[in-house]
Amino acid sequence: MFRRKIYDRMLEWKTNSNGKTALLIEGARRVGKSTVVEEFARKEYESYILIDFSQASKEVRSLFDDISDINYLFLQLQLQYKTDLHERKSVIIFDEVQLCPMARQAIKALVRDYRYDYIETGSLISIRKNVKDILIPSEERKISMYPMDYEEFLWALGDETTFPLLGKCYEAGRGLGEQLNRKQMRQFRLYMLVGGMPQAVNEYIETNNLRKVDEVKRDILSLYEDDFRKIDSTGRLSFLFDSIPAQLNTNASRYQTCAVIGSESTEKILEFIAELKASKTVLVSYRVNDPNAGMSNMKDISRFKLFLCDTGLFVTLMFKDKDFTENVVYDKLLNDKLSANLGYLYENMVAQTLTAKGDELFYYTMFNEVSRHNYEIDFLIARKNKVCPLEIKSSGYKTHKSLDVFTEKFSDRILHRYLIYTKDMEKSGDIFCLPVYMVPFL
């Protein structure tokens, strides 16, 4: 099993909650939820029962239809799974709990009983059909699990030194030097290509073959699209998902849904976007009307951009309809020969990194009356009651007209300005020029 940061958060929950809440881990399919939860149960408890509702029998599922006799429930679970449960020393895992809503509803009574701990995992947790007939337990402590971040990727490769050193360089405001930066950027581009889905990372480690990695990622994308068709049989959700790279390529100020699924009511579009977001496979960045520290209250939910939860999957989705041998982006990206019109790969990478850090995604567009030109700030993050604008470049160019125009308009609201690019860390005036691998430290 790969080392994952969420393990420490689970330990914190176990200690602080002490049985008073259940832990619900949400995340996209194949992100590694089941693996880390079972490893946690094996190491941190005397015994555990894992109920995988994607495979559980009708008899097991029916146990949760009536939990008025909790003693009978526990007796049956121990018999079915041939495992002894020990009071306050065992955990029961509800894997893919969205497939058995009554089990999720039972959490309230089970936590109140207090004999055992409970961990739930699920994807599509908040999709309407999975919650419409149940009472959502307030006893759930929710945390999100994302694809492996860059540090976790380095851990998987056996490197536990590089990332802390990058952090020290960032804190000291000093770059690595161009030679080391080029080496680090090549490693980071490898991460962008492979992605952070554990199966893809494992395939790379075992085979060192990007073609085989690509096949794994195609299987994951097919799985996602099967899920979307179950939610929406018309295929429109799948169309919206598949068109994310093409929409970013247009460099438009927002995702043009009408170009993908035709004319549709605003209500229906917002429902689709909510379902994509709930799947955790898609990241949504909203345009803010008035950039300030309280951006959540200023976002325009009708104007948004969509990114994939994993940049490795994004690379594969870009060329899903072509055979891998035709996909030159692997070689070009790895060797820093990416054409300018593929720069939105870096935007997706930054979106993924900010989300994993806990930042919501926002952007801002503005029209300059003097130049008669539209400008865009790719991402805005809130820090210390101020905002930090980020402009993303897929190259080493340090042009930053959008940052300048934004500063002219909102100078009193800005804490720091960042240009994210591929060259070494430096400061240009009051702009921090950061290589993309340092975004985790913002």
Side-chain angles (χ1 to χ4, degrees), residues 377-421:
I377 297 298
D378 297 308
F379 297 101
L380 285 166
I381 55 177
R383 298 289 187 270
K384 298 180 180 179
N385 295 319
K386 297 275 189 175
V387 296
C388 299
L390 279 64
E391 188 170 343
I392 316 302
K393 301 287 186 182
S394 62
S395 64
Y397 294 119
K398 290 188 291 185
T399 57
H400 41 75
K401 185 61 178 178
S402 292
L403 284 177
D404 295 339
V405 173
F406 183 83
T407 303
E408 289 174 8
K409 191 172 183 179
F410 300 109
S411 60
D412 59 330
R413 306 182 187 185
I414 297 173
L415 180 63
H416 297 302
R417 300 194 294 167
Y418 294 101
L419 179 74
I420 309 302
Y421 70 154

Short mmCIF file of all heavy atoms in Angstrom, two decimals, residues 377-421:
data_model
loop_
_atom_site.label_atom_id
_atom_site.label_comp_id
_atom_site.label_asym_id
_atom_site.label_seq_id
_atom_site.Cartn_x
_atom_site.Cartn_y
_atom_site.Cartn_z
N ILE A 377 -7.68 36.34 -14.42
CA ILE A 377 -6.85 35.79 -13.35
C ILE A 377 -7.24 34.33 -13.22
O ILE A 377 -8.39 34.01 -12.91
CB ILE A 377 -7.06 36.54 -12.03
CG1 ILE A 377 -6.63 38.00 -12.16
CG2 ILE A 377 -6.31 35.86 -10.89
CD1 ILE A 377 -5.16 38.17 -12.48
N ASP A 378 -6.28 33.44 -13.43
CA ASP A 378 -6.60 32.01 -13.51
C ASP A 378 -7.15 31.46 -12.20
O ASP A 378 -8.11 30.68 -12.20
CB ASP A 378 -5.35 31.22 -13.91
CG ASP A 378 -4.88 31.60 -15.30
OD1 ASP A 378 -5.70 31.57 -16.24
OD2 ASP A 378 -3.68 31.94 -15.46
N PHE A 379 -6.55 31.87 -11.07
CA PHE A 379 -7.03 31.43 -9.77
C PHE A 379 -6.85 32.54 -8.75
O PHE A 379 -5.90 33.32 -8.82
CB PHE A 379 -6.28 30.17 -9.29
CG PHE A 379 -6.47 28.97 -10.18
CD1 PHE A 379 -5.50 28.62 -11.10
CD2 PHE A 379 -7.64 28.21 -10.10
CE1 PHE A 379 -5.67 27.52 -11.93
CE2 PHE A 379 -7.82 27.12 -10.93
CZ PHE A 379 -6.84 26.77 -11.85
N LEU A 380 -7.76 32.58 -7.80
CA LEU A 380 -7.67 33.49 -6.66
C LEU A 380 -7.76 32.67 -5.38
O LEU A 380 -8.65 31.84 -5.23
CB LEU A 380 -8.82 34.50 -6.68
CG LEU A 380 -8.76 35.64 -7.70
CD1 LEU A 380 -10.12 36.31 -7.82
CD2 LEU A 380 -7.71 36.66 -7.30
N ILE A 381 -6.83 32.90 -4.47
CA ILE A 381 -6.89 32.23 -3.17
C ILE A 381 -6.92 33.28 -2.08
O ILE A 381 -6.36 34.37 -2.23
CB ILE A 381 -5.71 31.26 -2.96
CG1 ILE A 381 -4.37 31.98 -3.12
CG2 ILE A 381 -5.82 30.08 -3.92
CD1 ILE A 381 -3.16 31.08 -2.85
N ALA A 382 -7.60 32.98 -0.99
CA ALA A 382 -7.74 33.91 0.13
C ALA A 382 -6.68 33.60 1.18
O ALA A 382 -6.50 32.44 1.58
CB ALA A 382 -9.13 33.80 0.74
N ARG A 383 -5.98 34.64 1.63
CA ARG A 383 -4.99 34.51 2.69
C ARG A 383 -5.02 35.78 3.55
O ARG A 383 -4.94 36.89 3.02
CB ARG A 383 -3.57 34.34 2.12
CG ARG A 383 -3.35 33.07 1.28
CD ARG A 383 -3.35 31.81 2.13
NE ARG A 383 -2.97 30.63 1.36
CZ ARG A 383 -3.84 29.85 0.72
NH1 ARG A 383 -5.13 30.15 0.74
NH2 ARG A 383 -3.43 28.78 0.06
N LYS A 384 -5.18 35.61 4.86
CA LYS A 384 -5.11 36.73 5.82
C LYS A 384 -6.03 37.89 5.44
O LYS A 384 -5.63 39.06 5.42
CB LYS A 384 -3.67 37.24 5.94
CG LYS A 384 -2.69 36.21 6.45
CD LYS A 384 -1.29 36.78 6.54
CE LYS A 384 -0.30 35.75 7.06
NZ LYS A 384 1.08 36.29 7.14
N ASN A 385 -7.27 37.59 5.15
CA ASN A 385 -8.27 38.60 4.80
C ASN A 385 -7.92 39.39 3.54
O ASN A 385 -8.44 40.49 3.31
CB ASN A 385 -8.49 39.59 5.96
CG ASN A 385 -9.09 38.90 7.16
OD1 ASN A 385 -9.97 38.06 7.02
ND2 ASN A 385 -8.59 39.23 8.35
N LYS A 386 -7.04 38.83 2.73
CA LYS A 386 -6.67 39.42 1.44
C LYS A 386 -6.81 38.35 0.37
O LYS A 386 -7.11 37.19 0.65
CB LYS A 386 -5.24 39.95 1.47
CG LYS A 386 -5.00 41.08 2.48
CD LYS A 386 -5.35 42.43 1.90
CE LYS A 386 -4.92 43.57 2.82
NZ LYS A 386 -5.15 44.90 2.21
N VAL A 387 -6.57 38.74 -0.88
CA VAL A 387 -6.57 37.76 -1.96
C VAL A 387 -5.19 37.69 -2.60
O VAL A 387 -4.43 38.67 -2.60
CB VAL A 387 -7.63 38.09 -3.04
CG1 VAL A 387 -9.03 38.02 -2.46
CG2 VAL A 387 -7.36 39.44 -3.68
N CYS A 388 -4.88 36.52 -3.13
CA CYS A 388 -3.64 36.32 -3.87
C CYS A 388 -4.00 35.85 -5.28
O CYS A 388 -4.53 34.74 -5.44
CB CYS A 388 -2.77 35.27 -3.19
SG CYS A 388 -2.24 35.71 -1.52
N PRO A 389 -3.76 36.67 -6.29
CA PRO A 389 -4.04 36.26 -7.66
C PRO A 389 -2.91 35.39 -8.22
O PRO A 389 -1.73 35.64 -7.95
CB PRO A 389 -4.15 37.58 -8.42
CG PRO A 389 -3.28 38.51 -7.64
CD PRO A 389 -3.32 38.09 -6.22
N LEU A 390 -3.29 34.36 -9.00
CA LEU A 390 -2.34 33.46 -9.63
C LEU A 390 -2.53 33.50 -11.14
O LEU A 390 -3.64 33.31 -11.62
CB LEU A 390 -2.53 32.01 -9.15
CG LEU A 390 -1.94 31.56 -7.82
CD1 LEU A 390 -2.56 32.31 -6.65
CD2 LEU A 390 -2.14 30.06 -7.65
N GLU A 391 -1.44 33.76 -11.86
CA GLU A 391 -1.46 33.67 -13.31
C GLU A 391 -0.60 32.47 -13.71
O GLU A 391 0.55 32.36 -13.26
CB GLU A 391 -0.94 34.96 -13.94
CG GLU A 391 -1.11 35.00 -15.45
CD GLU A 391 -0.82 36.38 -16.04
OE1 GLU A 391 -0.80 37.37 -15.28
OE2 GLU A 391 -0.61 36.45 -17.27
N ILE A 392 -1.14 31.57 -14.52
CA ILE A 392 -0.47 30.32 -14.84
C ILE A 392 0.13 30.38 -16.24
O ILE A 392 -0.54 30.75 -17.20
CB ILE A 392 -1.44 29.12 -14.76
CG1 ILE A 392 -2.32 29.20 -13.51
CG2 ILE A 392 -0.67 27.80 -14.82
CD1 ILE A 392 -1.56 29.24 -12.21
N LYS A 393 1.41 30.00 -16.35
CA LYS A 393 2.09 29.92 -17.63
C LYS A 393 2.60 28.49 -17.83
O LYS A 393 3.06 27.85 -16.89
CB LYS A 393 3.29 30.88 -17.67
CG LYS A 393 2.95 32.34 -17.45
CD LYS A 393 2.26 32.94 -18.66
CE LYS A 393 2.05 34.45 -18.46
NZ LYS A 393 1.34 35.06 -19.60
N SER A 394 2.55 28.01 -19.07
CA SER A 394 3.08 26.68 -19.37
C SER A 394 4.53 26.75 -19.83
O SER A 394 5.07 25.76 -20.32
CB SER A 394 2.23 26.01 -20.45
OG SER A 394 2.30 26.76 -21.66
N SER A 395 5.14 27.89 -19.64
CA SER A 395 6.50 28.11 -20.12
C SER A 395 7.26 28.91 -19.07
O SER A 395 6.82 29.06 -17.94
CB SER A 395 6.48 28.89 -21.44
OG SER A 395 5.94 30.19 -21.22
N GLY A 396 8.41 29.43 -19.47
CA GLY A 396 9.21 30.24 -18.56
C GLY A 396 9.00 31.73 -18.73
O GLY A 396 9.66 32.53 -18.09
N TYR A 397 8.06 32.11 -19.60
CA TYR A 397 7.83 33.54 -19.85
C TYR A 397 7.27 34.22 -18.60
O TYR A 397 6.41 33.67 -17.92
CB TYR A 397 6.86 33.73 -21.02
CG TYR A 397 7.43 33.26 -22.34
CD1 TYR A 397 6.83 32.25 -23.06
CD2 TYR A 397 8.59 33.84 -22.87
CE1 TYR A 397 7.33 31.80 -24.27
CE2 TYR A 397 9.12 33.40 -24.07
CZ TYR A 397 8.50 32.39 -24.76
OH TYR A 397 9.02 31.95 -25.94
N LYS A 398 7.76 35.43 -18.35
CA LYS A 398 7.35 36.15 -17.15
C LYS A 398 6.42 37.33 -17.44
O LYS A 398 6.30 38.25 -16.65
CB LYS A 398 8.59 36.63 -16.40
CG LYS A 398 9.39 35.50 -15.77
CD LYS A 398 10.50 36.00 -14.88
CE LYS A 398 11.60 36.65 -15.68
NZ LYS A 398 12.74 37.04 -14.81
N THR A 399 5.75 37.31 -18.59
CA THR A 399 4.76 38.35 -18.87
C THR A 399 3.57 38.15 -17.94
O THR A 399 3.15 37.02 -17.66
CB THR A 399 4.30 38.27 -20.33
OG1 THR A 399 3.79 36.96 -20.59
CG2 THR A 399 5.46 38.56 -21.27
N HIS A 400 3.01 39.25 -17.47
CA HIS A 400 1.94 39.14 -16.46
C HIS A 400 0.96 40.30 -16.58
O HIS A 400 0.66 40.98 -15.59
CB HIS A 400 2.53 39.10 -15.05
CG HIS A 400 3.68 40.05 -14.83
ND1 HIS A 400 3.50 41.41 -14.67
CD2 HIS A 400 5.01 39.82 -14.77
CE1 HIS A 400 4.68 41.98 -14.48
NE2 HIS A 400 5.62 41.04 -14.54
N LYS A 401 0.48 40.53 -17.79
CA LYS A 401 -0.42 41.65 -18.01
C LYS A 401 -1.70 41.52 -17.19
O LYS A 401 -2.21 42.51 -16.64
CB LYS A 401 -0.77 41.74 -19.51
CG LYS A 401 -1.61 42.96 -19.88
CD LYS A 401 -0.88 44.26 -19.56
CE LYS A 401 -1.69 45.47 -19.98
NZ LYS A 401 -1.03 46.74 -19.63
N SER A 402 -2.24 40.28 -17.07
CA SER A 402 -3.47 40.10 -16.30
C SER A 402 -3.26 40.47 -14.83
O SER A 402 -4.12 41.11 -14.21
CB SER A 402 -3.96 38.66 -16.41
OG SER A 402 -4.38 38.36 -17.72
N LEU A 403 -2.13 40.08 -14.28
CA LEU A 403 -1.82 40.46 -12.90
C LEU A 403 -1.74 41.97 -12.74
O LEU A 403 -2.23 42.53 -11.76
CB LEU A 403 -0.50 39.82 -12.46
CG LEU A 403 -0.49 38.33 -12.12
CD1 LEU A 403 0.93 37.87 -11.78
CD2 LEU A 403 -1.43 38.01 -10.96
N ASP A 404 -1.15 42.62 -13.73
CA ASP A 404 -0.99 44.08 -13.65
C ASP A 404 -2.36 44.79 -13.71
O ASP A 404 -2.62 45.72 -12.93
CB ASP A 404 -0.10 44.58 -14.79
CG ASP A 404 1.33 44.06 -14.67
OD1 ASP A 404 1.72 43.69 -13.55
OD2 ASP A 404 2.03 44.03 -15.70
N VAL A 405 -3.20 44.36 -14.63
CA VAL A 405 -4.52 44.97 -14.75
C VAL A 405 -5.34 44.73 -13.49
O VAL A 405 -6.04 45.63 -12.99
CB VAL A 405 -5.26 44.42 -15.99
CG1 VAL A 405 -6.70 44.91 -16.04
CG2 VAL A 405 -4.52 44.84 -17.27
N PHE A 406 -5.25 43.52 -12.96
CA PHE A 406 -5.97 43.20 -11.73
C PHE A 406 -5.48 44.07 -10.57
O PHE A 406 -6.27 44.57 -9.76
CB PHE A 406 -5.78 41.72 -11.39
CG PHE A 406 -6.54 41.25 -10.19
CD1 PHE A 406 -7.88 40.89 -10.28
CD2 PHE A 406 -5.92 41.16 -8.95
CE1 PHE A 406 -8.58 40.46 -9.17
CE2 PHE A 406 -6.62 40.72 -7.83
CZ PHE A 406 -7.96 40.38 -7.94
N THR A 407 -4.19 44.28 -10.50
CA THR A 407 -3.61 45.08 -9.42
C THR A 407 -4.04 46.54 -9.51
O THR A 407 -4.29 47.20 -8.49
CB THR A 407 -2.07 44.98 -9.46
OG1 THR A 407 -1.69 43.61 -9.36
CG2 THR A 407 -1.44 45.77 -8.32
N GLU A 408 -4.13 47.06 -10.72
CA GLU A 408 -4.59 48.44 -10.89
C GLU A 408 -5.98 48.63 -10.31
O GLU A 408 -6.32 49.69 -9.78
CB GLU A 408 -4.60 48.80 -12.38
CG GLU A 408 -3.22 48.95 -13.00
CD GLU A 408 -3.29 49.16 -14.50
OE1 GLU A 408 -4.44 49.35 -15.02
OE2 GLU A 408 -2.25 49.13 -15.17
N LYS A 409 -6.78 47.59 -10.39
CA LYS A 409 -8.18 47.69 -9.97
C LYS A 409 -8.38 47.36 -8.50
O LYS A 409 -9.24 47.93 -7.83
CB LYS A 409 -9.02 46.75 -10.84
CG LYS A 409 -10.52 46.94 -10.70
CD LYS A 409 -11.27 46.10 -11.73
CE LYS A 409 -12.77 46.33 -11.64
NZ LYS A 409 -13.51 45.53 -12.66
N PHE A 410 -7.56 46.42 -7.97
CA PHE A 410 -7.82 45.92 -6.60
C PHE A 410 -6.55 45.92 -5.74
O PHE A 410 -6.37 45.02 -4.92
CB PHE A 410 -8.36 44.48 -6.67
CG PHE A 410 -9.65 44.33 -7.42
CD1 PHE A 410 -9.68 43.70 -8.66
CD2 PHE A 410 -10.85 44.82 -6.89
CE1 PHE A 410 -10.87 43.55 -9.35
CE2 PHE A 410 -12.04 44.67 -7.59
CZ PHE A 410 -12.05 44.04 -8.82
N SER A 411 -5.71 46.90 -5.89
CA SER A 411 -4.42 46.88 -5.20
C SER A 411 -4.55 46.78 -3.68
O SER A 411 -3.74 46.13 -3.02
CB SER A 411 -3.61 48.14 -5.55
OG SER A 411 -4.32 49.31 -5.17
N ASP A 412 -5.59 47.38 -3.11
CA ASP A 412 -5.74 47.38 -1.65
C ASP A 412 -6.22 46.03 -1.11
O ASP A 412 -6.23 45.82 0.10
CB ASP A 412 -6.72 48.48 -1.22
CG ASP A 412 -8.09 48.31 -1.84
OD1 ASP A 412 -8.18 47.77 -2.96
OD2 ASP A 412 -9.09 48.71 -1.20
N ARG A 413 -6.60 45.12 -1.99
CA ARG A 413 -7.10 43.82 -1.54
C ARG A 413 -6.07 42.69 -1.69
O ARG A 413 -6.33 41.56 -1.30
CB ARG A 413 -8.35 43.41 -2.33
CG ARG A 413 -9.45 44.45 -2.32
CD ARG A 413 -10.66 43.96 -3.09
NE ARG A 413 -11.67 44.99 -3.23
CZ ARG A 413 -12.87 44.79 -3.78
NH1 ARG A 413 -13.17 43.59 -4.27
NH2 ARG A 413 -13.74 45.77 -3.88
N ILE A 414 -4.92 43.02 -2.25
CA ILE A 414 -3.96 41.98 -2.62
C ILE A 414 -2.90 41.80 -1.53
O ILE A 414 -2.29 42.77 -1.08
CB ILE A 414 -3.27 42.32 -3.96
CG1 ILE A 414 -4.32 42.37 -5.08
CG2 ILE A 414 -2.18 41.30 -4.29
CD1 ILE A 414 -3.76 42.86 -6.41
N LEU A 415 -2.68 40.55 -1.15
CA LEU A 415 -1.59 40.23 -0.22
C LEU A 415 -0.30 39.95 -1.00
O LEU A 415 0.72 40.60 -0.78
CB LEU A 415 -1.96 39.02 0.63
CG LEU A 415 -0.91 38.58 1.65
CD1 LEU A 415 -0.67 39.67 2.69
CD2 LEU A 415 -1.30 37.26 2.32
N HIS A 416 -0.34 38.98 -1.89
CA HIS A 416 0.80 38.65 -2.74
C HIS A 416 0.30 38.35 -4.15
O HIS A 416 -0.83 37.91 -4.34
CB HIS A 416 1.56 37.43 -2.22
CG HIS A 416 2.17 37.62 -0.87
ND1 HIS A 416 3.07 38.63 -0.58
CD2 HIS A 416 2.01 36.92 0.29
CE1 HIS A 416 3.44 38.54 0.68
NE2 HIS A 416 2.80 37.52 1.23
N ARG A 417 1.18 38.56 -5.14
CA ARG A 417 0.88 38.19 -6.53
C ARG A 417 1.82 37.06 -6.94
O ARG A 417 3.02 37.10 -6.64
CB ARG A 417 1.07 39.40 -7.46
CG ARG A 417 0.18 40.58 -7.12
CD ARG A 417 0.16 41.58 -8.27
NE ARG A 417 1.45 42.22 -8.49
CZ ARG A 417 1.76 42.94 -9.57
NH1 ARG A 417 0.87 43.08 -10.54
NH2 ARG A 417 2.94 43.50 -9.69
N TYR A 418 1.25 36.08 -7.65
CA TYR A 418 2.06 34.92 -8.03
C TYR A 418 1.98 34.67 -9.53
O TYR A 418 0.88 34.66 -10.11
CB TYR A 418 1.58 33.67 -7.30
CG TYR A 418 1.79 33.71 -5.80
CD1 TYR A 418 0.72 34.01 -4.94
CD2 TYR A 418 3.04 33.46 -5.24
CE1 TYR A 418 0.90 34.05 -3.57
CE2 TYR A 418 3.24 33.51 -3.87
CZ TYR A 418 2.16 33.80 -3.04
OH TYR A 418 2.34 33.85 -1.67
N LEU A 419 3.13 34.44 -10.12
CA LEU A 419 3.20 33.95 -11.49
C LEU A 419 3.71 32.51 -11.40
O LEU A 419 4.82 32.26 -10.92
CB LEU A 419 4.17 34.79 -12.32
CG LEU A 419 4.34 34.35 -13.77
CD1 LEU A 419 3.10 34.72 -14.59
CD2 LEU A 419 5.58 34.99 -14.39
N ILE A 420 2.88 31.56 -11.82
CA ILE A 420 3.25 30.14 -11.76
C ILE A 420 3.74 29.75 -13.14
O ILE A 420 3.02 29.86 -14.13
CB ILE A 420 2.04 29.28 -11.35
CG1 ILE A 420 1.37 29.84 -10.08
CG2 ILE A 420 2.46 27.83 -11.16
CD1 ILE A 420 2.28 29.94 -8.88
N TYR A 421 4.99 29.26 -13.20
CA TYR A 421 5.58 28.96 -14.50
C TYR A 421 6.53 27.77 -14.36
O TYR A 421 6.42 27.00 -13.39
CB TYR A 421 6.22 30.20 -15.09
CG TYR A 421 7.49 30.72 -14.43
CD1 TYR A 421 8.41 31.45 -15.17
CD2 TYR A 421 7.78 30.49 -13.09
CE1 TYR A 421 9.58 31.95 -14.61
CE2 TYR A 421 8.94 30.98 -12.51
CZ TYR A 421 9.84 31.71 -13.27
OH TYR A 421 10.99 32.20 -12.71
#
